């Protein structure tokens, strides 16, 4: 094997390894995290980060396609409220406006697609609404 063919073979092998490592990413490698675990009752702004757990870095440009807010932590899953996604103030931060009609435990359920990944990132985040 000549030096040139060895170099090409090594380059192809390293490229294959890099592509395989990238393909090993899984939706379980991502999670939503609440910025604050409390919000005021009434009209509330909820900030959530989407993080790559392998690097702890924020993940921008995810497409949020499912969102629900309810009082499941207080055994009132049927008590839901309207939730609206707002423009993102920074990459990897996702902002929502919700009407928290009662003080107590609330659950924010989110589903998203991360660019370049197959599958769906889904999390259920629990926080408290205070008076």
């Amino acid at each position: 094997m000549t030096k040139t063919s060895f170099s090409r073979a090594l380059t192809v092998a390293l490229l294959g390894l890099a592509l395989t490592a990238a393909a090993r990413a899984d939706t379980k490698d991502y999670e939503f995290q609440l910025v604050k675990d409390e919000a005021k009752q009434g009209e509330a702004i909820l900030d959530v980060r989407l993080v790559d757990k392998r690097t702890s870095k924020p993940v921008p440009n995810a497409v949020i396609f499912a969102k629900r807010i309810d009082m499941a932590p207080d055994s009132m899953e049927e008590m839901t409220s309207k939730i609206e996604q707002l423009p993102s103030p920074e990459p990897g931060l996702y902002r929502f406006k919700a009407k928290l009609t009662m003080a107590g435990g609330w659950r924010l359920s989110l589903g998203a697609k991360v660019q370049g990944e197959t599958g769906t990132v889904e999390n259920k985040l629990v926080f408290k609404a205070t008076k």
Side-chain angles (χ1 to χ4, degrees), residues 14-109:
L14 290 174
L15 180 59
L17 182 62
L19 291 174
T20 303
R24 286 190 188 140
D26 188 84
T27 55
K28 291 180 177 93
D29 293 328
Y30 302 94
E31 72 177 354
F32 285 103
Q33 300 171 346
L34 286 166
V35 172
K36 293 181 183 176
D37 61 356
E38 282 192 0
K40 289 281 188 190
Q41 179 183 345
E43 292 289 327
I45 301 297
L46 306 170
D47 286 332
V48 179
R49 288 195 194 290
L50 179 56
V51 177
D52 184 331
K53 294 189 288 186
R54 299 164 299 169
T55 63
S56 298
K57 292 186 178 181
V59 178
N61 304 318
V63 177
I64 309 290
F65 67 88
K67 53 194 173 296
R68 175 186 162 95
I69 193 162
D70 59 48
M71 290 193 76
D74 283 354
S75 300
M76 293 187 282
E77 191 168 353
E78 68 283 352
M79 175 67 93
T80 63
S81 189
K82 184 178 175 187
I83 184 164
E84 173 188 351
Q85 187 170 353
L86 300 174
S88 176
E90 64 184 67
L93 187 71
Y94 300 86
R95 181 167 280 175
F96 303 92
K97 180 170 76 171
K99 186 166 185 173
L100 306 177
T101 53
M102 294 176 62
W106 286 83
R107 175 178 67 184
L108 174 59
S109 302

